[in-house]
Every structure is written in C-alpha cells, then in structure tokens.
Amino acid sequence: MNDSVLTPVIAIDGPSASGKGTVAARVAQALGFHYLDSGALYRLTALAALRAGVAMDDEARVATLARQLPACFDAGEILLDGEPVTEAIRTEECSVGSSRVAALPAVRAALLDRQRAYRQKPGLVADGRDMGSVVFPDALLKVYLTATAEERANRRHKQLIEKGMSANISTLLQDLQERDARDAARSVAPLQKSADAELLDTTQLSIEQAVQAVLDWYQVRLAAL
Ligand code: DC
C-alpha cells in the first residue's frame, strides 16, 4: 500500500477568509487527524522578516528566514522563538506581508519539507492555497473551499466586531479582492481550483454543513479504495 492510503491527506485549499481553516480544523478533530495551517507558516515568515528588518521582496534573505523559522505550534498557540504570536500574525501588516513573501519561489521551496513533515499517522488535514496542487499532490481528498467575496468580507467583519475591533466592510472587501488577485496572479503555485478537487461553495452553508460535506466525500474516497 502506498503512502496516500497509509497516511491519508485531506487537502483543503481556497481564498482568504473562506472559512477553510475552521472547517479543516474541525474535520481533523472529527477524524483524529493532525492539522496543518500552512498560511500560518507564510504569516510567521512575514513576521520574522518584519522583526529582523528584512524587506519583503529580499527573496534570498526571506527564504533563509523561512528555512530556519524557529516556530512551533503548541496546543492552539503559535510560538516564534518561544514567544506567543497567535494574534500578531493575524494583523493586517502580516496578512499583506505573507501574501508578498508567498509570491517568492525560494520562500515556497524553503517551506516545502516543513509542510510535508506534518504528514503523520493516522492522517493529516492541511489547509492553504497549494496543498492539493504542490505540497500533497497525492492527497486522498482535495477540496476547493470558497464563498463569494461579499460573504467572506461579511464574515471577517463579524469576527472583528465580535473581538471588539472596528472594521469597515467596504475596506475589508477591497483588501480581500486585492489579496485574491495577488494570490491568483503569482507565477508559482497560484490559487486555483485543480481539476481533481471537489468544489465546496460555503456562501449558503453553515460551518457544520461544510464539515459534513468534507467528511462525506472522505467516506466515499475510503469506500472506493
Ligand atoms: O490562509 P492565510 O490567509 O493565513 O494565508 C496567508 C497568506 O499566505 C496568503 O496571502 C496566501 C499565502 N499562502 C500561500 O501562498 N500558500 C499556502 N499554502 C498558504 C497560504
């Protein structure tokens, strides 16, 4: 039996704020699988560059930071050099920075082995932009999870308000559309639905319905082995 069956991967890709992180984490929990938030690695790289005063477009130096990233994921907390940065990597500055460093081929290459190392028994749910196309091309199930830009901006707005932060919906929508365009237009591993991925449009779905859809597809894949 090959690794795609022995250590199965569920790859969930999609645009910013589509809810794929929440869905992926819950699918992982339901199956008792490991979970990889690959976007966090790009965000950590951007934060490391900001802190080291390295320009986001200095490909060689940012790639070195990515390769040596002293990061660890510990019970829901993300640490950089031992310091909790779970909130710090979600700032707008880090979001924009991560989208810029993610466009650099040497940075993507530097993070490849680290991402693949998360593939451990009994299995892995990985979310990002290129989980199914580049990092785990032999994933047992690939899902492209999306929602309209308006719905994604609404969800982000609600999240920020709930956290007591101020937010403007039209600015959020514009930021999302700019980030989508940058993620889709880059030359390496652009954001796109691959032909072998299931399309999951969550515009009209609850989180529970989206999680169930992924679990149902997974059962179909297992039954077909
Ligand atoms: O999923 P996220 O918003 O946390 O991702 C942050 C940035 O990293 C986003 O601009 C896209 C990029 N990214 C990527 O290029 N490839 C991945 N596998 C994950 C994220």
Side-chain angles (χ1 to χ4, degrees):
M1 240 190 271
N2 62 26
D3 210 33
S4 78
V5 178
L6 287 175
T7 315
V9 174
I10 298 178
I12 302 184
D13 290 305
S16 296
S18 57
K20 61 187 187 317
T22 307
V23 172
R26 294 214 190 171
V27 169
Q29 198 179 20
L31 295 170
F33 280 15
H34 301 278
Y35 167 54
L36 167 64
D37 168 6
S38 64
L41 295 175
Y42 290 94
R43 290 173 179 273
L44 282 160
T45 303
L47 183 63
L50 279 169
R51 291 188 170 175
V54 171
M56 296 292 169
D57 57 357
D58 186 338
E59 185 163 3
R61 289 184 69 198
V62 179
T64 301
L65 287 174
R67 206 171 302 111
Q68 298 168 350
L69 211 55
C72 100
F73 293 75
D74 182 27
E77 185 81 84
I78 302 176
L79 306 171
L80 183 63
D81 240 338
E83 185 200 329
V85 292
T86 315
E87 294 287 321
I89 61 165
R90 303 283 156 199
T91 61
E92 194 54 25
E93 197 179 21
C94 259
S95 297
V96 173
S98 62
S99 169
R100 291 182 62 195
V101 299
L104 306 172
V107 172
R108 305 199 71 86
L111 291 176
L112 202 53
D113 287 344
R114 185 188 283 253
Q115 293 175 84
R116 289 186 175 148
Y118 280 86
R119 182 180 207 157
Q120 285 173 21
K121 286 185 182 23
L124 174 69
V125 183
D127 89 64
R129 305 293 187 288
D130 61 344
M131 295 298 97
S133 56
V134 176
V135 183
F136 303 108
D138 65 340
L140 199 56
L141 172 63
K142 300 179 187 180
V143 177
Y144 186 80
L145 193 151
T146 189
T148 60
E150 288 73 17
E151 176 62 17
R152 289 184 283 129
N154 274 331
R155 289 178 188 170
R156 175 75 34 109
H157 185 252
K158 208 169 144 230
Q159 267 175 2
L160 292 172
I161 299 298
E162 277 169 8
K163 282 190 194 164
M165 294 158 92
S166 68
N168 175 296
I169 240 179
S170 51
T171 314
L172 286 172
L173 179 59
Q174 197 186 336
D175 286 353
L176 272 179
Q177 286 169 328
E178 280 172 14
R179 198 147 3 121
D180 283 357
R182 200 163 37 229
D183 291 344
R186 66 177 179 229
S187 57
V188 280
L191 171 67
Q192 57 184 32
K193 179 191 169 302
S194 49
D196 55 355
E198 302 283 356
L199 176 65
L200 183 57
D201 184 334
T202 67
T203 307
Q204 312 276 359
L205 298 184
S206 66
I207 293 170
E208 290 73 24
Q209 288 171 316
V211 169
Q212 196 54 53
V214 177
L215 291 172
D216 288 347
W217 276 318
Y218 186 62
Q219 290 309 322
V220 171
R221 291 292 193 288
L222 284 183
L225 288 177

